[in-house]
Amino acid sequence: MFFVSVMIFFNVFLSSVLILVSLYLVKKKVMTREKGSPFECGFDPKNSARIPFSMRFFLVTVIFLVFDIEIVLLLPYLFSASVGVSMFSLFSGVMVVVVLMIGTFHEWSEGSLEWFINN
């Protein structure tokens, strides 16, 4: 019982010290006009918020997210394949890859994968 109470005290003490140190390190030392102004992706917040953005950049971002989700869906399959492969898991893994391949060929034929415009 004594050991448990000492460990609880030690954890509370260590947490308090870490909180105080982080508050000291994060504190703004000198407040200037530049540090006080908000920064949003390089846009000046005082001008109009209706600035046009590149649709190609948006499409590249969406494509990146799709392939990022692909990795999230396929990693558990790869880890479970080392234990044993059933027909259902093999079929579902192949179907995920087939759907992504169809989507990739559609984006390719649509021209979304062209990152520059030929003049």
Side-chain angles (χ1 to χ4, degrees):
M1 184 67 180
F2 176 72
F3 179 72
V4 172
S5 62
V6 168
M7 288 305 293
I8 290 174
F9 175 75
F10 178 73
N11 286 335
V12 169
F13 177 73
L14 184 63
S15 299
S16 301
V17 168
L18 289 175
I19 288 172
L20 290 175
V21 168
S22 66
L23 286 175
Y24 176 74
L25 292 176
V26 173
K27 184 175 68 169
K28 292 182 181 180
K29 306 290 187 230
V30 177
M31 190 66 156
T32 62
R33 180 175 179 227
E34 289 297 320
K35 287 184 180 180
S37 66
F39 178 76
E40 296 181 14
C41 305
F43 294 115
D44 187 12
K46 305 218 179 346
N47 290 341
S48 173
R50 303 287 181 204
I51 299 174
F53 67 97
S54 172
M55 191 58 138
R56 293 203 178 270
F57 179 74
F58 176 73
L59 286 174
V60 169
T61 305
V62 169
I63 292 170
F64 171 76
L65 287 175
V66 166
F67 287 109
D68 197 32
I69 297 296
E70 168 196 1
I71 291 172
V72 169
L73 289 175
L74 288 179
L75 273 179
Y77 172 72
L78 294 175
F79 289 135
S80 68
S82 65
V83 176
V85 179
S86 68
M87 283 304 279
F88 177 73
S89 64
L90 183 63
F91 179 72
S92 62
V94 168
M95 285 307 295
V96 167
V97 172
V98 165
V99 167
L100 288 171
M101 291 293 285
I102 291 171
T104 303
F105 288 134
H106 174 70
E107 290 170 357
W108 190 7
S109 67
E110 185 181 83
S112 297
L113 297 178
E114 298 291 328
W115 290 20
F116 60 92
I117 299 173
N118 294 328
N119 290 332

